[in-house]
Amino acid sequence: MMIELQGIEKFYVNKGGKNYVLRHVSASIKAGEFVSIMGPSGAGKSTVLNILGMLEEPTYGAYEFMGQDVFSLNERKRIELYRNHIGFVFQAYHLIDEMTVAENIEAPMMYKKVSAPERKNRVADLLDRFNMAAKSDFFPGQLSGGEQQLIGIARALATRPSIILADEPTGNLQSAQALQIMDLFKKLNQEEGITIIQVTHSEINAGYGNRTLQLLDGVINEERFKTG
């Protein structure tokens, strides 16, 4: 099993008591799955994704990633695990405005100490793959929203992750651009075997995956499997 969440709880203590974000969340995800996490605003979807991405810790619970107990690891080992296996795609793109398209894609590889020639090759390959080679020297502000998200995905793929975590990846896009992004995720999952977990409000986007976890008031209360 790639991911095992057991009894995850997240709450904040205030004068009125405990304010729960997540309660008793348990889930198992196999390598190669495409899982959607759905639910209304405030249900805890992004918090689950941030815990999976090692950006946030729960108050209680256990998280096993590729056989390793995440919360028992020291910070250095956790960062290493994240850099080696996880790519994050954000709704707001999170590109660095002062860097060109090529530099944005290259940035995460520098943390992994990928050699300069290899970085250059990977950037060129990704730009070709997404038909963005002509905009290699553009800055994010010169791109459309769809183009910025393509570069965000290219950046996530640059380190060759085992899993992509996507937080409302089409939330800021028009429908045609959104479909292009979702088709790309499906291709990455089916042809390259990359595990994808997305948070989405969209039933259409959720339909691209093979399983949906439904969150309500911080609890997984429904799990739907795609049929046919």
Side-chain angles (χ1 to χ4, degrees):
M1 199 64 67
M2 180 178 248
I3 282 171
E4 288 272 8
L5 291 178
Q6 286 291 334
I8 296 292
E9 296 201 350
K10 179 83 175 184
F11 61 78
Y12 299 96
V13 178
N14 55 33
K15 288 177 183 176
K18 293 175 181 176
N19 179 23
Y20 277 90
V21 182
L22 297 173
R23 283 176 177 265
H24 314 301
V25 170
S26 295
S28 299
I29 295 167
K30 296 175 186 172
E33 281 200 276
F34 188 155
V35 177
S36 302
I37 301 173
M38 294 193 77
S41 294
K45 303 183 301 296
S46 293
T47 303
V48 170
L49 205 69
N50 286 340
I51 288 169
L52 291 172
M54 305 177 201
L55 301 178
E56 201 172 324
E57 277 197 36
T59 312
Y60 296 114
Y63 175 19
E64 216 171 81
F65 181 80
M66 301 182 86
Q68 296 201 59
D69 179 356
V70 172
F71 303 137
S72 72
L73 298 175
N74 63 34
E75 189 179 1
R76 185 182 61 78
K77 287 192 174 175
R78 208 180 291 186
I79 289 170
E80 200 174 279
L81 197 63
Y82 172 91
R83 286 181 181 161
N84 286 336
H85 295 287
I86 296 174
F88 233 113
V89 176
F90 301 94
Q91 178 179 354
Y93 320 132
H94 285 205
L95 300 177
I96 299 167
D97 291 338
E98 296 77 25
M99 285 186 172
T100 64
V101 161
E103 287 166 346
N104 266 285
I105 297 172
E106 183 183 21
M109 291 186 278
M110 298 175 83
Y111 292 112
K112 278 190 74 175
K113 299 183 172 61
V114 177
S115 70
E118 176 65 10
R119 293 200 306 266
K120 192 174 179 182
N121 286 339
R122 288 193 202 178
V123 169
D125 287 347
L126 286 162
L127 286 169
D128 282 343
R129 179 177 182 176
F130 294 159
N131 298 316
M132 295 287 285
K135 298 190 175 179
S136 169
D137 295 325
F138 281 42
F139 291 92
Q142 298 172 284
L143 305 177
S144 70
E147 289 170 335
Q148 287 189 60
Q149 192 59 294
L150 281 175
I151 297 308
I153 294 169
R155 179 184 59 188
L157 291 172
T159 57
R160 299 184 175 163
S162 320
I163 180 170
I164 287 179
L165 303 176
D167 194 356
E168 295 282 6
T170 65
N172 289 335
L173 303 179
Q174 295 173 344
S175 54
Q177 295 173 320
L179 290 174
Q180 180 190 12
I181 296 299
M182 292 313 301
D183 285 338
L184 174 57
F185 277 139
K186 190 168 186 177
K187 196 172 178 183
L188 291 169
N189 176 252
Q190 293 185 343
E191 295 181 13
E192 298 184 32
I194 295 174
T195 306
I196 295 176
I197 303 174
Q198 67 163 342
V199 158
T200 182
H201 278 101
S202 164
E203 289 279 359
I204 294 170
N205 286 9
Y208 278 81
N210 60 288
R211 187 155 61 108
T212 300
L213 303 178
Q214 199 80 25
L215 265 179
L216 185 64
D217 297 328
V219 181
I220 291 178
N221 67 354
E222 184 187 346
E223 189 169 27
R224 288 177 288 162
F225 290 84
K226 195 172 178 180
T227 54

